[in-house]
Amino acid sequence: MTTRRVMRRCALAVAASLLAGCSVGSEPEPSPGSRSGSESPSESPSEPTSEVSPSDSTGPTTARASTPALSERTEPDLELAMSTPVEDSVYPAVGGPDVDALLYDLDLAWDPTELSLTGTSTITFRAARDANEFGLDFSPVLEVESLTLDGQKAAYTHRGKDLVVKAPIVTDDQHELVVSYAGEPGPVPAPTTRRDFSTVGFTVTDRGEVWTMQEPYGAYSWYPVNDQPADKALYDISVTAPEPWTGVANGRLVGDTTEDGRRTTEFQLDEPASSYLITLAIGDYAHAAQTSKSGVTLDYWYPRGQPLVLDDLRAGAAAVDWIEARLGPYPFSSAGIVATDSQSAMETQTMITIGNTEYARSPQVIVHELVHQWYGDQVSPADWSDVWLNEGMTMLMQALWEADHDGAKTSATIAGWRAIDQDLRDEYGPPGAYDRAQFAGSNIYYLPAIMWNELRLELGDDQFFAIARSWLTAQDNRSVTRDAIYAHWEKETGLELSAFFDAWILGSATPPPGVSAG
């Protein structure tokens, strides 16, 4: 038994007593006005305070990637991960309300020659309701080799992507499910018409390297999971791959060992995350680090021998300082960016996944994905009908950042977005009732950003950002619905905002300017 398993079992004993009593978030393609902004003063970038120089070699190398100092592993606080899982209103076939996952302990090994994944997933969960059987999402191309529930073999079926365990569960009882599996995983179709991605989940490059992006779902392509955003959980992820390759995942690096030419890295995510925010990248990575003026250290993982990629990632530290001045302190215990062969970018929690295009690595996209650590990760949507909760505030923040750094007016940006508002409503639907076959269309980005800007103009920056921060504090580590954020803003402003919010989020026509619109 590994050290982390011993610690986890100790934590489970404590949690049992507690329970017994109880962006793809990437920025869309630029539209007219997308690089205009406001009058806030610009800020100089943070200087790197620690860095490991990459190899200049562009060919194969046996030198291992440099790594950050190891963090101390901590006991998981399972109470943080208690959630209220739901059946999603937009994608009801993925995820479900029976299982409240508390901790996913994933032990993974990747063979890039055979393109095969071997894994053992130890899932600590709370029964969210009484059920005669319960299920998780799990790729049909991965074969279950063994399955136990609370240490005993359990009957199960695995048809399509549904892994169903034939055992009764009782509300609030805690269980441990262990699934060992192997196979040749791959991505699954994405419910979108966007050009920068058509599949989600476990993606393998021509070289056998791995990256994952999985919004609105797709985590089930590489581990058994309740793949719906209302169910946040803690993660321990161990990744083994042949040297000099490195496995990168969310959270703090707490283990790094090499044996017989295979390197194992272990990451611990000590605050809960929705499954769409989990990342896995495996490849020949080099590492560098940079610290923001406020003291947040960002770990950068980039392809060895590609220092220009690192140059782009270095926008991260200054971005953190800029965001903290508006939304408050960075909300997690670690931060980083991993560069992959994707065409898009994703706000994966504490370890942003950035694609290999000039736009995906641009400063404004890095800012966008970092803002999501607050809006989207610290506070997440409980249902995919509310993905606009992530993207609207983030797009407004991106517009303000672009104003600070590009010198244009925010009013010009918003005017450009307002000019295409009706077309987006006609093509994709309103932000809160979009066409489910067109996930992450531009409507969920620009339209709620215009709405938030109307409130910003009405209240002024000081009050607006004070309320934006108080929302994060009130809902820390939770998955929420639109009703909760509506109530928060009405309470904090003293304004009746129901008609205003409904007009922007559910209306078929562009609302007129002003907070009283609707």
Side-chain angles (χ1 to χ4, degrees):
M1 181 179 295
T2 64
T3 302
R4 69 176 180 176
R5 290 281 171 82
V6 172
M7 294 180 67
R8 182 170 57 79
R9 289 187 185 279
C10 292
L12 297 187
V14 175
S17 63
L18 294 172
L19 290 172
C22 0
S23 156
V24 161
S26 68
E27 206 275 315
E29 295 181 10
S31 294
S34 66
R35 294 189 58 79
S36 302
S38 82
E39 303 85 346
S40 302
S42 61
E43 300 177 30
S44 59
S46 303
E47 292 297 326
T49 60
S50 64
E51 179 178 323
V52 179
S53 298
S55 166
D56 291 330
S57 171
T58 57
T61 176
T62 58
R64 67 186 294 176
S66 56
T67 63
L70 297 183
S71 297
E72 183 178 353
R73 188 184 295 280
T74 59
E75 292 188 8
D77 183 354
L78 298 185
E79 189 176 13
L80 283 176
M82 292 183 63
S83 308
T84 304
V86 301
E87 180 179 278
D88 199 77
S89 68
V90 184
Y91 305 109
V94 186
D98 294 340
V99 169
D100 172 18
L102 304 176
L103 172 66
Y104 293 96
D105 187 338
L106 307 179
D107 191 351
L108 308 170
W110 175 243
D111 185 334
T113 303
E114 300 295 330
L115 304 182
S116 64
L117 179 71
T118 303
T120 297
S121 177
T122 302
I123 305 165
T124 305
F125 70 94
R126 176 184 68 90
R129 63 180 185 179
D130 293 351
N132 292 325
E133 59 185 26
F134 63 94
L136 295 170
D137 306 294
F138 191 44
S139 171
V141 304
L142 294 171
E143 181 179 354
V144 176
E145 297 182 336
S146 67
L147 183 150
T148 64
L149 180 65
D150 300 327
Q152 302 296 318
K153 289 184 178 180
Y156 65 91
T157 60
H158 189 196
R159 298 189 181 97
K161 66 151 203 62
D162 297 323
L163 175 62
V164 179
V165 181
K166 303 291 187 176
I169 53 175
V170 177
T171 303
D172 285 336
D173 282 356
Q174 186 175 298
H175 302 277
E176 182 178 271
L177 179 70
V178 181
V179 183
S180 295
Y181 57 93
E184 299 179 22
V188 297
T192 188
T193 57
R194 280 176 55 157
R195 294 194 299 272
D196 56 342
F197 73 102
S198 60
T199 59
V200 287
F202 194 97
T203 304
V204 183
T205 72
D206 292 341
R207 296 184 57 206
E209 296 179 326
V210 172
W211 57 269
T212 65
M213 291 186 191
Q214 46 212 25
E215 185 182 15
Y217 49 71
Y220 71 82
S221 65
W222 55 284
Y223 67 100
V225 59
N226 192 22
D227 207 357
Q228 200 274 341
D231 187 6
K232 288 192 170 190
L234 306 174
Y235 281 80
D236 269 313
I237 303 177
S238 171
V239 189
T240 300
E243 280 202 306
W245 288 15
T246 303
V248 180
N250 309 72
R252 298 174 295 110
L253 182 67
V254 295
D256 184 2
T257 58
T258 301
E259 184 176 354
D260 296 330
R262 294 176 66 78
R263 182 180 185 185
T264 299
T265 46
E266 300 176 51
F267 291 83
Q268 183 179 39
L269 189 60
D270 54 13
E271 292 192 63
S274 301
S275 56
Y276 81 97
L277 297 171
I278 300 306
T279 192
L280 175 67
I282 306 172
D284 190 5
Y285 281 109
H287 168 266
Q290 188 180 30
T291 302
S292 71
K293 290 179 179 178
S294 66
V296 176
T297 297
L298 290 90
D299 291 303
Y300 300 137
W301 297 93
Y302 63 99
R304 190 190 306 279
Q306 296 187 30
L308 293 180
V309 174
L310 173 60
D311 289 345
D312 291 339
L313 302 187
R314 283 191 178 118
V320 167
D321 286 321
W322 185 91
I323 299 164
E324 286 184 321
R326 292 150 181 83
L327 297 183
Y330 179 75
F332 302 115
S333 64
S334 64
I337 305 175
V338 58
T340 72
D341 200 33
S342 170
Q343 298 297 299
S344 189
M346 179 69 198
E347 65 265 30
T348 40
Q349 188 164 313
T350 72
M351 184 62 70
I352 292 167
T353 309
I354 293 289
N356 189 26
T357 70
E358 183 178 354
Y359 184 70
R361 298 198 312 267
S362 65
Q364 64 265 37
V365 170
I366 289 174
V367 167
H368 183 102
E369 306 306 341
L370 279 168
V371 171
H372 272 312
Q373 302 304 298
W374 287 258
Y375 273 81
D377 296 10
Q378 181 181 9
V379 182
S380 306
D383 186 275
W384 282 120
S385 63
D386 287 329
V387 63
W388 65 269
L389 285 171
N390 297 0
E391 301 298 348
M393 185 66 75
T394 301
M395 278 306 302
L396 174 58
M397 290 287 288
Q398 181 182 328
L400 296 173
W401 181 90
E402 288 177 342
D404 281 357
H405 296 79
D406 293 344
K409 301 285 187 181
T410 305
S411 57
T413 299
I414 301 300
W417 294 349
R418 183 179 278 277
I420 60 173
D421 179 293
Q422 190 60 58
D423 288 342
L424 295 178
R425 290 178 192 271
D426 293 343
E427 182 175 1
Y428 299 108
Y434 57 85
D435 178 356
R436 68 183 60 191
Q438 300 191 88
F439 178 78
S442 296
N443 59 331
I444 67 166
Y445 294 83
Y446 299 132
L447 279 52
I450 305 170
M451 177 191 77
W452 290 124
N453 192 62
E454 297 286 351
L455 266 179
R456 185 179 72 92
L457 295 176
E458 174 77 16
L459 302 174
D461 278 6
D462 288 348
Q463 185 180 7
F464 178 82
F465 284 113
I467 297 173
R469 291 190 297 271
S470 68
W471 163 254
L472 298 171
T473 301
Q475 303 294 338
D476 184 37
N477 284 329
R478 295 180 181 173
S479 297
V480 298
T481 66
R482 66 188 67 170
D483 289 341
I485 199 168
Y486 292 175
H488 183 86
W489 281 84
E490 286 190 329
K491 177 183 177 182
E492 296 299 313
T493 62
L495 300 174
E496 167 51 55
L497 297 171
S498 298
F500 169 76
F501 284 133
D502 284 346
W504 279 104
I505 301 308
L506 295 174
S508 59
T510 304
V515 170
S516 62

